[in-house]
Amino acid sequence: MAAPESTVPLEIRQHNALTTARYEMSACEMDIVFSLLSKLTKQDKAGTIYEIRVQELMELTGRTWNYKQLLESTENLNSRVYHIENGKTLLQVSLLASALYRKGEGTIELEISERMRPFLIDLKSNFTSYRLQAAFSLSSKYAKRIYQLASQWKDIGETKTYSLDEFKGMLKLKDPTGKEAEQYAQISSLQKYVLDVATTQINEHTDLRIKYELLKKGRSFQSIKFYVNTQVPQQLPIPFELEADDAKVQLARKHLETLGIAEPKLVQDILHSPKHVDALFAFIYKLKTDKIKATKNPGGLFLKMQGLR
């Protein structure tokens, strides 16, 4: 089968109501959700079971999650509640109906709750689309949420103006009932630990470039707005057999840069070979988990192992 001339980065969709819903998740939980969303199709029926391969998840994210973290994450995802307001209704709904971890096989089986399906399956309007690889590349849970929010407004160039209470509510930094203590109550803390971190990561690692503006009413800041522009990825599209593999190829290019492998012909030879790409992810994983020791020239070692040097 001939490879297409270009590839389109894999995008995932969710209803705008989910983008602005009030909920909290860890970075690990969100990566599991991103992986789950990438597997949805409009043909899926109620009760469909989606399989997440742990090794694939770690390769795509470049992060290592141990069994305890994954077990806690799937347990939390079963109990996490989205608060979705729509006119006169407030829906409290969890994402998952069930999660099953197959010990020794490295797979997680997930089932979406029935009331959540309309916000995820076969969306034709009022949805947010964002790039899977970009979402994976962000390590801050707040960057992941703000990236989703910015993606909703990327065609307009700026978000609506959110009151700080509304914005903090979406990120679960503030409980509207006042029962839980507010996080980052000082504006300087909110900027340092949430806004600046998110802005830096999004601008460096995604297809969007954002900046935020804090707006005052009187002497205190009361609201926030984000300005959103799309930016051309530094990487050129790479011909590849399957469009769904684009996120993996783009991440593979980043891994090659990390290893110091920059010679154009070598890069193209590796990225055009599924065998070399798979070997690269396995090598990076072993390098990060100290299963391979190569402090001086890991790039050279990888090329030697692949018979490229």
Side-chain angles (χ1 to χ4, degrees):
M1 177 173 135
E5 291 184 0
S6 62
T7 55
V8 178
L10 183 61
E11 291 198 340
I12 49 183
R13 291 181 175 185
Q14 64 186 38
H15 196 281
N16 289 341
L18 285 188
T19 304
T20 56
R22 180 163 52 90
Y23 67 89
E24 180 182 18
M25 286 185 188
S26 69
C28 183
E29 290 169 51
M30 293 189 76
D31 282 344
I32 291 173
V33 172
F34 293 146
S35 185
L36 170 62
L37 295 183
S38 73
K39 297 179 181 296
L40 306 183
T41 71
K42 63 183 179 180
Q43 290 81 25
D44 294 345
K45 304 298 182 183
T48 298
I49 301 298
Y50 303 92
E51 184 181 89
I52 308 294
R53 291 181 57 246
V54 175
Q55 182 69 26
E56 183 180 84
L57 180 65
M58 292 193 293
E59 288 175 352
L60 285 171
T61 62
R63 289 182 286 278
T64 301
W65 307 113
N66 60 41
Y67 172 77
K68 182 180 179 182
Q69 288 174 306
L70 291 166
L71 204 60
E72 288 178 351
S73 293
T74 51
E75 181 177 351
N76 288 338
L77 283 172
N78 269 298
S79 59
R80 296 288 192 200
V81 175
Y82 288 77
H83 298 257
I84 303 172
E85 293 194 45
N86 182 18
K88 296 181 179 180
T89 65
L90 171 59
L91 175 64
Q92 296 172 313
V93 60
S94 59
L95 173 66
L96 299 181
S98 67
L100 182 132
Y101 195 107
R102 294 196 175 276
K103 298 180 181 179
E105 296 183 19
T107 59
I108 305 170
E109 294 182 359
L110 304 177
E111 179 187 4
I112 296 173
S113 67
E114 188 58 26
R115 279 230 163 170
M116 183 61 85
R117 285 173 55 81
F119 296 98
L120 299 172
I121 304 293
D122 196 20
L123 299 173
K124 294 181 174 64
S125 62
N126 298 321
F127 63 82
T128 302
S129 66
Y130 50 94
R131 295 187 177 183
L132 176 64
Q133 187 271 330
F136 274 145
S137 70
L138 302 169
S139 59
S140 162
K141 64 180 181 180
Y142 300 123
K144 291 175 186 288
R145 284 298 310 275
I146 292 172
Y147 173 65
Q148 291 174 308
L149 184 66
S151 294
Q152 180 182 344
W153 300 88
K154 62 188 175 186
D155 295 330
I156 298 175
E158 62 183 59
T159 70
K160 60 174 277 189
T161 298
Y162 298 95
S163 71
L164 284 178
D165 285 344
E166 183 182 9
F167 176 70
K168 287 183 175 181
M170 283 190 287
L171 273 59
K172 267 299 190 81
L173 297 174
K174 187 172 183 177
D175 180 2
T177 67
K179 294 179 180 179
E180 298 179 10
E182 181 179 352
Q183 299 181 58
Y184 308 123
Q186 297 295 322
I187 200 70
S188 57
S189 296
L190 181 68
Q191 288 183 279
K192 181 177 180 180
Y193 297 109
V194 178
L195 297 171
D196 291 345
V197 171
T199 299
T200 298
Q201 289 193 10
I202 290 168
N203 290 347
E204 289 183 356
H205 300 295
T206 78
D207 54 308
L208 302 182
R209 187 163 191 84
I210 70 167
K211 63 179 180 179
Y212 66 87
E213 181 181 9
L214 290 164
L215 304 170
K216 280 186 174 181
K217 186 175 182 181
R219 294 185 176 182
S220 60
F221 291 105
Q222 297 292 327
S223 55
I224 186 170
K225 174 190 285 190
F226 292 89
Y227 296 92
V228 187
N229 291 299
T230 56
Q231 57 182 349
V232 178
Q234 294 180 355
Q235 305 93 340
L236 293 175
I238 304 166
F240 212 71
E241 190 170 359
L242 298 175
E243 289 186 3
D245 280 344
D246 182 73
K248 188 172 184 179
V249 176
Q250 298 295 352
L251 188 56
R253 182 183 285 274
K254 289 187 178 181
H255 286 329
L256 291 177
E257 292 175 358
T258 300
L259 293 175
I261 300 174
E263 185 180 324
K265 187 178 185 307
L266 267 178
V267 170
Q268 292 302 311
D269 287 346
I270 293 169
L271 296 180
H272 281 79
S273 166
K275 178 182 176 182
H276 287 328
V277 170
D278 288 341
L280 174 63
F281 279 105
F283 181 83
I284 291 292
Y285 175 70
K286 290 177 181 178
L287 200 63
K288 288 187 174 183
T289 55
D290 292 325
K291 293 180 180 178
I292 289 179
K293 305 289 185 182
T295 55
K296 292 184 178 179
N297 184 13
L301 176 60
F302 171 74
L303 293 174
K304 184 177 180 180
M305 290 171 65
Q306 294 304 303
L308 298 171
R309 277 280 167 85

